[in-house]
Amino acid sequence: MSGRSKRESRGSTRGKRESESRGSSGRVKRERDREREPETASSRSSPVRVKREVEPASAREAPAPVFPAVRVKREREADEDSEPEREVRAKNGREDSEDRRSRHCPYLDTINRSVLDFDFEKLCSISLSHINAYACLVCGKYFQGRGLKSHAYIHSVQFSHHVFLNLHTLKFYCLPDNYEIIDSSLEDITYVLKPTFTKQQIANLDKQAKLSRAYDGTTYLPGIVGLNNIKANDYANAVLQALSNVPPLRNYFLEEDNYKNIKRPPGDIMFLLVQRFGELMRKLWNPRNFKAHVSPHEMLQAVVLCSKKTFQITKQGDGVDFLSWFLNALHSALGGTKKKKKTIVTDVFQGSMRIFTKKLPHPDLPAEEKEQLLHNDEYQETMVESTFMYLTLDLPTAPLYKDEKEQLIIPQVPLFNILAKFNGITEKEYKTYKENFLKRFQLTKLPPYLIFCIKRFTKNNFFVEKNPTIVNFPITNVDLREYLSEEVQAVHKNTTYDLIANIVHDGKPSEGSYRIHVLHHVSGKNRENKTDKSCTRDIFGIADY
């Protein structure tokens, strides 16, 4: 081999080593760059791989431009990666400015708490839709939506009312700027709209006698506040207010978690009764109300709907009929059944009794035939076990004669006289269209809270008559042990009751009105300052032991 060829081979070998060293150093540098600047495979690796596949033929002739090209590519990629970062910074800048507006809204002083009333149905005052409803906190009206051309947006532009509350999400917004308002001074408004109670607060309700002050300056006792008589719904108001002062029932509905997960069939409207009753209960016991009274508008609308207009707002109803329907409807809506599944309603109010029934022969039959019929099995006494939510007490017939002053004599009767119906001995005749029966009743289980319904109204073919007999009753320590069967008396520990609520009816049967006396548990005083131990025209009382 000649010297020239040796030199060429050495030169080519040296060039090859230099190119390999450059290639290896380039690979090492690229690997280091990958470690320093982590990138996705799709954005980085494919362009470099294509460059390396194209360059080997010309690399030996002009190897120098490889690294500047890669460096330019990396700088371009770095610029592309920085653009989203600039967008994020710009977005954060917008969020920061929006956050400053949210926390420093200049229109909060336009809110007028004296006109806010969340007791009525949450419907847009224009479209009458309950979807996406907002309350204007300046005038108190409800409007739908907050986007362009929505009723709330138009109202804000037209009347310069800027602060709105979403009645579902409880979030505040400023319109027409359309940004959320975040301010702790608005918490009192959300609490009035949706009061909440902790377990500790519920446990202390009957231990504290603290007066609350409404926004208009009036003072009230939580739980003992007036219910608005919208037109002729005082019969329902009295019943609802009496039930709201039964502690176990009240405590159950004050905590929404107790019933919100109850499963009901699709399309079932009866659960609306449970929801509205819970909302009303929380409003009645809210210590931070803006007003010292509550409107039961939403509750009564649910009653009208669920009772299929049997009970209405515009027509006077019977308090006992409404009580019976409401307790059974509430029990059913909570998932209860007649025999097996119990609810809070049955746990509080349900007792049991034995009913003894004997069929009587027709009074027009001859005496001998009557005697023969009485020996038949059909006319033997039968006994059935039955449950009850309340006990109906019958009054003696009112006298029709007048006294020396030409006034009707109003008789008086002790409570225990009319309770004798349930002693298991007293028999009473019940007539039907075809048959007559003798019945007697004996209590076998007393509920924790016992309801008496005194039957004052009797209906005939022409009119409804009201019995004015006065019932004298003690308001504490009413012992019902003697009305229980002997085998049950030993099992029943508590048989003594105290009166906690009393509903009375004033006026004529078709025109009168209802009112209620309620016991304040902490002070032990009656809400109506009723200190006498007798009451006329009482419909029913609720007693607890």
Side-chain angles (χ1 to χ4, degrees), residues 25 47-48 109 183 233 253 276 288 392 408 448 479 515 530:
S25 64
V48 176
D109 58 346
D183 197 289
N233 56 281
F253 281 97
R276 294 292 182 257
R288 296 159 57 183
T392 303
L408 286 175
D479 194 354
R515 56 189 173 90
K530 178 177 175 294

Side-chain angles (χ1 to χ4, degrees), residues 201-400:
Q201 289 173 332
I202 294 174
N204 293 331
L205 286 177
D206 294 331
K207 300 177 182 178
Q208 299 175 354
K210 185 179 179 181
L211 285 170
S212 297
R213 186 177 296 275
Y215 184 76
D216 58 3
T218 56
T219 57
Y220 66 95
L221 283 169
I224 306 180
V225 297
L227 284 174
N228 290 349
N229 188 8
I230 299 172
K231 190 166 185 181
N233 56 281
D234 47 280
Y235 71 98
N237 286 1
V239 172
L240 295 172
Q241 203 152 30
L243 295 177
S244 71
N245 280 272
V246 178
L249 190 71
R250 173 202 65 193
N251 296 349
Y252 179 86
F253 281 97
L254 285 180
E255 197 170 356
E256 191 177 3
D257 292 340
N258 290 331
Y259 59 85
K260 70 177 184 181
N261 294 324
I262 294 177
K263 295 181 179 180
R264 298 296 299 166
D268 179 34
I269 62 171
M270 296 303 293
F271 194 69
L272 183 65
L273 208 64
V274 176
Q275 294 173 322
R276 294 292 182 257
F277 186 60
E279 292 171 3
L280 179 65
M281 198 77 73
R282 289 189 288 275
K283 289 178 180 179
L284 285 172
W285 287 92
N286 183 6
R288 296 159 57 183
N289 271 329
F290 287 164
K291 299 178 182 179
H293 58 84
V294 175
S295 176
H297 190 268
E298 287 186 298
M299 175 74 240
L300 294 175
Q301 282 190 320
V303 167
V304 173
L305 179 65
C306 295
S307 69
K308 299 179 181 178
K309 297 185 178 181
T310 303
F311 303 100
Q312 300 185 29
I313 301 174
T314 58
K315 184 180 179 182
Q316 186 68 271
D318 184 86
V320 178
D321 292 344
F322 174 72
L323 170 73
S324 177
W325 173 84
F326 185 73
L327 290 180
N328 285 286
L330 207 60
H331 170 67
S332 176
L334 288 169
T337 57
K338 290 184 177 180
K339 294 183 178 180
K340 295 183 178 180
K341 194 170 181 180
K342 295 186 176 182
T343 63
I344 184 64
V345 178
T346 54
D347 290 342
V348 173
F349 296 115
Q350 191 177 78
S352 62
M353 68 171 73
R354 291 174 185 155
I355 303 176
F356 300 88
T357 306
K358 184 191 297 184
K359 186 178 178 181
L360 297 176
H362 197 278
D364 295 337
L365 294 175
E368 294 180 358
E369 191 173 347
K370 287 182 182 179
E371 286 293 331
Q372 293 177 356
L373 290 175
L374 289 175
H375 294 287
N376 294 344
D377 292 340
E378 183 183 358
Y379 290 87
Q380 298 303 308
E381 188 176 62
T382 59
M383 187 271 291
V384 294
E385 291 277 351
S386 178
T387 58
F388 64 87
M389 291 286 191
Y390 60 88
L391 297 177
T392 303
L393 305 180
D394 301 316
L395 290 174
T397 304
L400 300 177

